[in-house]
Amino acid sequence: MKIAIAGSGAMGSRFGLMLQKSGEDVLLIDGWQAHIEAILSNGLKANFNGEEVSVNIPIVHQEEVHLDKKYDLIILFTKAMQLDKMMTDIKGIIDENTQVLCLLNGIGHEDTIEKYVPLENIYLGNTMWTAGLEGPGVAKLFGNGSIELQNLGVGQEENAKKIAEVLSNAGLNASFSENIRLSIYNKACVNGTMNGLCTLLDVNMATLGNTRTALYMCRSIVNEFAAVAKFEGVALDIPAIMEKIKSCFDPLTIGLHFPSMHQDLMRNNRLTEIDFINGAISRKGRKYGIVTPYCDFLTELVHAKEDILKAE
Ligand code: NAD
C-alpha cells in the first residue's frame, strides 16, 4: 500500500518506521527542515525498544510534495494546530481514492479535514502508542500500544477494517471501533485534566494528585466535557473517567511522568494543543449553549503561559 505520513515527528516516525518495516511503501511528509535534512543525510535513527536502528525512509517537505503521486492512505500526525496548513499543503496528493486517517489527540479534527477530503474517505482513530523525539531525525520508541479506528462515511466499515489490518500487520495492534468518538472523548478527558493542570502548576501527575483541589478541578473539567459530549450523542461514564484520572496520580505507575503538554511548553518552549482539547470544549459549549468556565479559564491560562514563555 502507498502510505504517506503527514506530520512525521515522534509519532509519525514510529508509524513510518513500523509500516515500512512491514513492507509498505511509505513516504514521510513534514515541515521541520532540520528534521528532514537529518533523515535525508543519516536516515531515521531510533532507539526502538532498546535497539539502536537507522533506516532509510523517504521524506519530503510538505511544501514540496510531488503532486503527480497519489496515495492509498494518508495518516495524519501533525500537532493539532499544524493540521490545517498540512492539509492545504498536501491537498494536491489527495484524490477520490485516498483514504485519510486522523490519529491526532484532541476533538473536532474532522471539521478541518472535511474541508479537503470527502466524508466517505475520512477515518478517525485514537492511539495508545507513544513516542518521543531526542532531536532532529532521532526518535525514542519504547513500549507497546494500540489503535482504534472507525470510518466517518456511511458504508465504509470494510475499508476501516482493511486499514486496521494493514496497521496490525506492522505490529501496531489496530482494531475497528464501533464508537470512536467515545474513545476520543475518553482520552480527551484525561488529556484535558492532566495536560493543562500539570503544565500550569509545573508538576508531575502524582504531585497534582496530592493537592487538596486536584479531584474537584478534574471533576469540574470532566463534567464540562460530558455536557458537551452529550450534545454530540456521546454518553461519557464520568465515574469511570474519574477512576482513570485517579490512576494517573499513582507514583508506582505513571504518576511521576509529566504529560506531553508540559514537555512541549515547559521543556521545549513549543505551543500547545490546548485549543483542540479544553478549547474545543469551550467552542462547542458556545455552539450548544453550555457554559464551560473551567475549560475556558484553563485554555486562557495556558495561552497566557505560552505568551510569557514566548513559545513557538
Ligand atoms: P511532534 O511534536 O513530535 O511532531 C509534530 C510535528 O512537529 C512534526 O511535524 C514535527 O517535525 C514537528 N516538530 C517536532 N519537534 C519540533 C521542533 N523542536 N521544532 C520544530 N518542529 C518540531 O508530535 P507527536 O508527539 O508526534 O504528536 C503528533 C500527534 O499525536 C499530536 O496530536 C499528539 O497529541 C498525538 N499523540 C502523541 C503521542 C506521543 O506519545 N508523542 C501519543 C498519542 C498521540
Side-chain angles (χ1 to χ4, degrees), residues 9-11 30 32 77-79 82 105 129-131 270 273:
M11 292 296 280
D30 205 60
W32 184 17
F77 254 138
T78 60
K79 289 285 195 189
Q82 303 165 329
N105 277 337
W129 285 98
T130 61
R270 296 181 67 205
E273 295 184 297

Side-chain angles (χ1 to χ4, degrees), residues 6-13 29-33 35 62 76-80 82 86 103-106 109 127-133 136 187 191 260 264 268 270 273 277 312:
S8 299
M11 292 296 280
S13 295
I29 302 174
D30 205 60
W32 184 17
Q33 193 58 38
H35 186 55
Q62 64 193 70
L76 301 174
F77 254 138
T78 60
K79 289 285 195 189
Q82 303 165 329
M86 176 62 81
L103 289 173
L104 278 65
N105 277 337
H109 300 309
T127 180
M128 296 314 217
W129 285 98
T130 61
L133 279 184
K187 188 174 189 198
N191 286 332
S260 61
D264 283 341
N268 299 325
R270 296 181 67 205
E273 295 184 297
I277 308 171
E312 289 178 28

Side-chain angles (χ1 to χ4, degrees), residues 189 216 218-228 238 242 290:
C189 283
Y216 183 80
C218 291
R219 174 72 199 233
S220 304
I221 293 167
V222 170
N223 283 345
E224 294 180 3
F225 274 72
V228 166
I238 296 176
M242 289 307 296
I290 302 167

